Amino acid sequence: MNYVILGNGIAGVTAAETIRQLDDPGQITLISDETFSPYCRPMISNLLEGAVDLSRLPVRSADFYEKNRITPILGTRAVSLDTDSQRVTTKDGQTHSYDRLLVATGADPRPIDAQGLDLDGVFFMRNIENVQQMINTLADVKHALVLGGGLVGFKAAYSLLRRNIAVTMLIGSGYPLSMQVDETAGQIIQQVLEKNGLTVRTGVFVTAFEGKKRLRTAHLSDGTRFDCDMCVIGKGVFPAHGFVPEKSIDTDAGIMVDDNMQTSVPGIYAAGDVAEHIDIARQQPWVNAIWPEAVAQGRVAGFNMAGYPVAYRGSLSRNVIRIFDTDLMTAGRVSPRDTDEACRFFSASDPARGTYRKLVFKEQILVGFVMINCIEQGGVLTSLIQGRTPVDIAEHNLLDPGFNVSRLMGRLTR
Amino acid sequence: MKQVIVHPERCVGCMQCMLACAASHSKTGTLISAISESPRPRPRIHVGAGLYEEGFPNRCRHCDPAPCQMACLPGAIYRQTITNTVLINPDICINCASCAMACPYGVIRYHADPLAPAAKTIAVKCDNCIARQHRGQIPACVEVCKTGALTFEEMDAAMKKKTDQVARSICAEAVPADNAPGFSLLNTVKRAEKEINLLR
């Protein structure tokens, strides 16, 4: 069997490993744009922060490709896919035929509509190369601008603050992480960042960047100018499936996959940030571009590609962030844009412990939560959402600080 | 290979397992000297209170595949196959709490640990006392448990014992067997107290 995997992110890497475990003689080719050996993408913000150095980012040993007998083709990306002749063409003009194909091409940062994007000092934050370039310019950066209050913008702002750089964040909605959390939690974490030097401005965006070669000034939508020597654009990502023929392969925001991570074309699979499956909390198709789902999807795709049918149960949006002395964990539907009047909300806060917890139920099923500090039991709540387990105990049991897994098993232990 | 088996119905919530665990994961290894160590050793087994204040010794199940291992960003969590133990490499851990979000049992804690690089906050959880086992001892929590809520047995034998108990209790003639009558009484009292308080 001849397997071709597009992308050396964690979905592609996990799939390759899984295939190798199950199909020893199979031929595996891995094609990727990024030449760095498989690394932990979420940790690029730790790299920017200076908390870890480059040597800590690889998540597989240097001989990963050799050891797993994978043929790596790095520094190029797929530009077209012919599903009839089962061939992928890459940017360097080569074609590669496959029996089974995995599209794990991830996502690309969403550009903004502004002039001067090519100036030095204007960055996206998606890969190691981006962050290395950022670090190289940090020495003479006094004031940084971060566009977007989502996860990328948030982590970029935090990392720069830790480097003692003044940061101004421009966000479109009323508070940071508005896609992930409710307003109360959003305000709490905004205050934490503000206490540490962040300035937040809402309702303005950048119309143009100005400077000779290096960024010096940003022009804002309210007509004012803003002097800065660095800008990080964190306005989201979009799944990188531009090369996929949409007339044969169903695509929505991402590439649609079934429970076996197979696309609408038999033999072609998708996993990771590029794939769209069912969101467990929302019960509708959704792209959840997060690390643990990329691992899970890569694993399931690998099983199925090697001929072992394994089903994927759906993905769940979730995140955990530690900033200064504050921890935030969130999963599922919490943001007002994800909830409706059919949802039941329960919340509790304890100023003495600095905690805040909010649970979102749909009937007896937990569909989302956010917690600030004391996050150790968050995984128990996450697994309640993932299992769609009806919760038949009073909600305060889940909210109070003594919550632990035994409360859910009370009925079983007579 | 023997494993720690938890019998929650026999737990009285005395928390001696927590003390023994902390002491055995200290630098000095004994309770009397462990209490003056810095950082203070902390337990890796956690006795939580259930709905009716009944005790429950909550420890790592060493799941396979382990959700924490799959969620770990820097790849610090790994499985030692010979002891079937999921371990965290304190040097690689970055304290990102991705494992807290993944663990369905909530058994991972985050703090500086006597056995980790100094002053580094890391994820800490049960290691099956592999150091003790290596010396021919059984896990500290089991050794100290007075009520039989924690036992160290071959999994197959433990399963067989449990199956036999269930089999005996489903005979049409049989009254459901109470395997731990004293504990049931204790828990019934606790439950009654709790319910009466709730009604107040």
Side-chain angles (χ1 to χ4, degrees):
Chain A
M1 191 67 79
N2 177 19
Y3 305 92
V4 172
I5 294 171
L6 306 178
N8 73 342
I10 196 64
V13 165
T14 309
E17 273 175 335
T18 309
I19 292 169
R20 181 51 78 220
Q21 280 169 16
L22 300 168
D23 182 356
D24 194 60
Q27 210 181 340
I28 305 175
T29 306
L30 194 146
I31 300 171
S32 167
D33 208 5
E34 283 194 79
T35 51
F36 206 83
S37 60
Y39 68 94
C40 180
R41 187 177 309 282
M43 277 175 70
I44 58 173
S45 62
N46 304 68
L47 183 65
L48 179 61
E49 180 191 335
V52 297
D53 62 28
L54 198 58
S55 68
R56 285 302 172 98
L57 264 62
V59 285
R60 294 295 183 271
S61 58
D63 60 352
F64 168 76
Y65 296 120
E66 265 168 57
K67 212 173 60 189
N68 288 288
R69 285 171 284 125
I70 296 165
T71 311
I73 299 176
L74 306 177
T76 187
R77 67 194 299 175
V79 288
S80 73
L81 166 61
D82 185 339
T83 56
D84 294 328
S85 66
Q86 302 199 321
R87 267 174 226 273
V88 180
T89 307
T90 48
K91 207 172 173 180
D92 56 6
Q94 302 274 327
T95 60
H96 307 273
S97 58
Y98 61 85
D99 299 320
R100 300 262 195 283
L101 177 72
L102 176 67
V103 183
T105 42
D108 289 322
R110 194 181 295 281
I112 59 166
D113 186 17
Q115 289 174 327
L117 283 178
D118 51 348
L119 284 172
D120 287 351
V122 179
F123 297 103
F124 293 99
M125 191 164 121
R126 180 66 190 169
N127 54 37
I128 283 187
E129 204 186 331
N130 299 150
V131 170
Q132 280 179 315
Q133 286 168 357
M134 287 161 83
I135 291 172
N136 290 340
T137 62
L138 281 182
D140 50 351
V141 171
K142 294 201 173 51
H143 206 134
L145 189 63
V146 169
L147 309 186
L151 282 161
V152 169
F154 194 82
K155 286 187 156 187
Y158 173 68
S159 299
L160 294 169
L161 288 172
R162 296 280 294 186
R163 294 238 186 204
N164 293 318
I165 291 168
V167 180
T168 298
M169 184 190 262
L170 308 186
I171 50 183
S173 48
Y175 56 92
L177 300 182
S178 63
M179 301 275 275
Q180 282 82 20
V181 303
D182 68 332
E183 187 167 355
T184 310
Q187 301 285 6
I188 293 172
I189 49 168
Q190 179 171 332
Q191 283 163 14
V192 172
L193 287 190
E194 282 173 343
K195 233 184 276 169
N196 288 279
L198 180 79
T199 310
V200 174
R201 293 183 62 182
T202 55
V204 277
F205 54 92
V206 169
T207 53
F209 295 107
E210 195 189 305
K212 280 214 176 100
K213 191 165 174 301
R214 177 76 189 265
L215 171 68
R216 287 288 165 242
T217 306
H219 293 265
L220 307 185
S221 56
D222 59 0
T224 58
R225 297 155 58 91
F226 185 85
D227 290 338
C228 55
D229 355 68
M230 180 180 192
C231 178
V232 183
I233 302 170
K235 301 298 279 182
V237 294
F238 61 90
H241 58 66
F243 65 96
V244 165
E246 289 184 17
K247 59 180 190 303
S248 53
I249 296 182
D250 288 345
T251 56
D252 180 37
I255 298 175
M256 306 298 289
V257 290
D258 62 15
D259 288 351
N260 301 322
M261 303 312 293
Q262 188 164 236
T263 67
S264 52
V265 175
I268 301 182
Y269 297 75
D273 294 4
V274 77
E276 180 168 340
H277 191 265
I278 297 291
D279 179 288
I280 296 170
R282 299 178 176 91
Q283 293 288 300
Q284 64 186 72
W286 205 270
V287 179
N288 279 318
I290 56 173
W291 178 271
E293 295 298 5
V295 176
Q297 293 179 359
R299 191 162 175 271
V300 171
F303 270 109
N304 287 288
M305 290 169 75
Y308 295 79
V310 169
Y312 177 63
R313 64 176 168 182
S315 63
L316 176 68
S317 56
R318 55 192 187 275
N319 259 289
V320 58
I321 299 171
R322 292 190 190 273
I323 42 159
F324 300 104
D325 287 332
T326 303
D327 302 333
L328 167 84
M329 192 187 293
T330 175
R333 302 167 55 182
V334 190
S335 158
R337 70 184 78 190
D338 277 332
T339 53
D340 51 47
E341 61 283 355
C343 294
R344 300 186 298 134
F345 300 91
F346 302 90
S347 63
S349 58
D350 181 348
R353 291 168 187 261
T355 60
Y356 169 71
R357 260 180 213 191
K358 182 178 203 167
L359 308 172
V360 183
F361 280 89
K362 193 120 189 192
E363 287 153 6
Q364 292 306 105
I365 309 280
L366 184 67
V367 295
F369 74 85
V370 58
M371 57 205 310
I372 295 207
N373 292 334
C374 296
I375 58 171
E376 289 86 354
Q377 301 300 316
V380 182
L381 299 178
T382 309
S383 85
L384 279 180
I385 303 178
Q386 287 172 320
R388 293 186 65 74
T389 317
V391 176
D392 58 358
I393 60 173
E395 290 77 13
H396 73 82
N397 283 299
L398 276 63
L399 283 175
D400 96 29
F403 170 68
N404 67 86
V405 71
S406 69
R407 299 221 176 150
L408 300 167
M409 304 197 284
R411 302 291 152 90
L412 302 175
T413 59
R414 274 188 306 136
Chain B
M1 183 190 8
K2 287 187 174 179
Q3 289 178 45
V4 176
I5 314 266
V6 178
H7 310 273
E9 72 280 4
R10 303 181 72 90
C11 178
V12 292
C14 70
M15 303 191 187
Q16 291 200 42
C17 52
M18 294 175 68
L19 272 180
C21 177
S24 79
H25 291 95
S26 66
K27 282 195 187 103
T28 52
T30 59
L31 181 60
I32 197 74
S33 49
I35 49 175
S36 54
E37 282 181 27
S38 176
R40 180 168 306 174
R42 298 206 209 173
R44 299 167 178 217
I45 183 167
H46 310 280
V47 175
L51 272 190
Y52 301 104
E53 313 284 13
E54 68 278 23
F56 180 82
N58 196 18
R59 68 190 283 285
C60 175
R61 273 70 160 174
H62 302 276
C63 314
D64 191 6
C68 57
Q69 185 182 357
M70 293 207 285
C72 181
L73 294 184
I77 304 183
Y78 63 102
R79 176 179 296 278
Q80 192 187 58
T81 41
I82 47 162
T83 57
N84 197 28
T85 301
V86 176
L87 295 169
I88 303 175
N89 183 332
D91 191 38
I92 295 176
C93 175
I94 56 166
N95 185 33
C96 65
S98 289
C99 47
M101 197 164 63
C103 178
Y105 304 107
V107 296
I108 308 174
R109 297 292 180 276
Y110 303 85
H111 50 77
D113 191 78
L115 308 178
K120 185 183 178 191
T121 300
I122 49 153
V124 180
K125 66 164 200 67
C126 167
D127 61 357
N128 274 338
C129 278
I130 45 175
R132 284 175 58 94
Q133 287 197 52
H134 195 66
R135 297 194 296 264
Q137 295 171 293
I138 65 171
C141 56
V142 177
E143 189 182 74
V144 79
C145 183
K146 309 287 191 292
T147 65
L150 298 165
T151 55
F152 193 54
E153 299 171 74
E154 293 290 342
M155 192 48 128
D156 285 353
M159 297 269 270
K160 171 90 170 66
K161 218 189 285 176
K162 220 37 168 189
T163 308
D164 289 349
Q165 283 176 0
V166 173
R168 278 198 296 276
S169 69
I170 56 174
C171 162
E173 305 295 312
V175 181
D178 194 334
N179 300 314
F183 299 98
S184 301
L185 178 62
L186 181 73
N187 283 332
T188 306
V189 171
K190 279 186 185 173
R191 180 173 182 152
E193 278 176 355
K194 179 94 178 181
E195 280 175 341
I196 292 163
N197 278 333
L198 284 180
L199 290 175
R200 238 180 237 162

